Amino acid sequence: MTDPQHASGPRTDRHRPDGGGPPPLLAVTLGDPVGIGPEITARTLADPAIGALGRGLAVGDAAVLRRAVAVCGLDVEVNAVGTPGEARFEPGTIDVLDLGIAPADLPWGTVDAVAGRSAVAAIEAATRAALDGEVDGIVTAPINKEAIWAAGSQHLGHTEMLGELTGAAHFDTMFVVRGLKIFFTTRHVSLRTALDQLTEERVAAAVRHATTALRVFGHDEPRLAVAAINPHGGEGGHFGDEEVTVLRPAVEKAAAEGLGVVGPIPADSVFHQGLEGRFDGVLSHFHDQGHIPAKTVDFDGTVSVTVGLPVLRTSVDHGTAFDIAGSGRASHGTMAAAFRAAADFSRFTDRIRAAYGTEAGR
């Protein structure tokens, strides 16, 4: 359960969809200091068009951000601050909540414990600011798992770390691509393990979580489609029986609970139907089943949102790209997309807190 000291009411100056109040204030972590995170963050926060959507506060090391600004050839000043309230958000300036951990001379593109410690500290600082209502959401740059493990972290990655920091009982990944929201019954396991993990109750629970997330993020009457697994949806069990034994019973159970869910629908058509507007979301069942269609349609525009946390968090969906880190060549398209999504979704911060901020909400 969320710490009571972090369960205070929403910011009174939060951006509102009716145009009142200032634009949302978003904490943007630099990610691994020797990956491309600082570069794509610098390019994103230096973009005036992005600044018009929200006030971006970088979170990390000022020295690292200054090096990234230089590598990218940006004509901006880096303003180090100690608290979000000190940020100026002036044109030509990137404000950074300075952690003072990583120096500017760490070798690019290498696994480094100091870099890992900086990346973890940035996530912790941004999360505290979001829980305390100092920022309206978090946008995260990529981290390197080996580096955070070298720094002593026991987490598998960003999402697990955020779950512990916020006290979330359950959290999921939601992809957003061109308005369609994609969910996952299983994620980072082998395909064989994912199929073994599919049970009627697990799929029904995934439907419930996905439907809740759709409501939280603006769909008052959610329309969710459940993807099939086998070719042609199994052809009545001739090409595999998971649709008959697991998926259809789970859909029927969820529908009997009053949820707006249909399926299973063959995976080679359900994502197209969703992008055409027939559904608000699609529940996929293993990692690549949801990743491939999203990234094929719009690689740079696919945004990862962690649902189930009492705070808003969006993220790029790529790694640290150590091979090009420090070259200034990294595209910031995915970071810009994640920032735009967070700015848009900030209008749902109250819904996020209401749905996920208490044990009852989970």
Side-chain angles (χ1 to χ4, degrees):
M1 189 169 184
T2 303
D3 188 333
Q5 70 173 331
H6 291 139
S8 57
R11 292 165 52 90
T12 57
D13 63 347
R14 179 178 300 129
H15 167 70
R16 297 190 300 273
D18 62 5
L25 198 169
L26 302 172
V28 186
T29 63
L30 297 183
D32 192 296
V34 297
I36 64 170
E39 296 169 61
I40 62 176
T41 300
R43 289 193 184 279
T44 298
L45 297 185
D47 185 346
I50 291 294
L53 299 175
R55 297 167 291 164
L57 173 66
V59 182
D61 298 296
V64 168
L65 184 57
R66 290 191 179 101
R67 179 168 74 158
V69 165
V71 162
C72 295
L74 299 172
D75 184 20
V76 294
E77 174 191 352
V78 172
N79 177 44
V81 300
T83 67
E86 297 173 13
R88 302 199 304 249
F89 304 111
E90 295 175 347
T93 299
I94 301 177
D95 297 288
V96 55
L97 186 62
D98 185 20
L99 304 178
I101 296 174
D105 59 354
L106 288 179
W108 289 107
T110 59
V111 174
D112 188 285
V114 174
R117 188 160 66 250
S118 173
V120 170
I123 297 165
E124 292 172 343
T127 303
R128 282 195 302 270
L131 288 170
D132 290 339
E134 295 180 296
V135 300
D136 296 303
I138 307 168
V139 183
T140 58
I143 61 175
N144 180 278
K145 291 180 174 60
E146 290 185 64
I148 68 169
W149 294 337
S153 174
Q154 302 299 310
H155 296 290
L156 294 176
H158 256 134
T159 303
E160 294 79 9
M161 195 183 309
L162 287 161
E164 180 176 301
L165 290 170
T166 60
H170 180 90
F171 42 86
D172 297 296
T173 294
M174 176 178 78
F175 270 14
V176 182
V177 57
R178 298 189 182 178
L180 178 65
K181 298 173 175 66
I182 300 174
F183 302 89
F184 302 85
T185 304
T186 69
R187 286 297 304 280
H188 294 125
V189 295
S190 71
L191 178 56
R192 185 177 303 279
T193 300
L195 294 176
D196 290 341
Q197 288 181 352
L198 291 182
T199 63
E200 178 182 335
E201 185 48 48
R202 184 171 189 141
V203 174
V207 169
R208 295 184 195 106
H209 292 309
T211 301
T212 296
L214 288 172
R215 287 199 185 98
V216 168
F217 285 87
H219 302 283
D220 292 334
E221 297 182 4
R223 300 168 300 160
L224 179 70
V226 172
I229 295 173
N230 295 298
H232 303 176
E235 290 283 12
H238 294 286
F239 296 163
D241 66 358
E242 285 85 357
E243 287 75 19
V244 175
T245 62
V246 176
L247 300 182
R248 188 173 300 131
V251 169
E252 291 173 349
K253 176 182 289 187
E257 296 171 4
L259 303 183
V261 58
V262 298
I265 298 174
D268 62 0
S269 60
V270 68
F271 297 99
H272 170 75
Q273 293 175 17
L275 288 165
E276 290 290 303
R278 190 174 301 183
F279 311 113
D280 303 309
V282 174
L283 176 63
S284 61
H285 304 293
F286 53 90
H287 184 279
D288 284 4
Q289 188 180 42
H291 279 243
I292 290 172
K295 294 179 179 180
T296 300
V297 167
D298 190 349
F299 189 92
D300 283 348
T302 297
V303 174
S304 176
V305 182
T306 305
V307 297
L309 306 177
V311 298
L312 170 65
R313 181 259 180 150
T314 68
S315 180
V316 300
D317 189 58
H318 59 68
T320 51
F322 276 175
D323 57 326
I324 62 170
S327 69
R329 294 187 289 112
S331 168
H332 68 293
T334 50
M335 176 59 87
F339 190 97
R340 285 193 294 268
D344 180 35
F345 290 151
S346 67
R347 58 199 165 108
F348 301 126
T349 303
D350 291 339
R351 290 191 183 197
I352 292 170
R353 284 181 177 270
Y356 304 126
T358 66
E359 197 65 33
R362 302 190 192 106

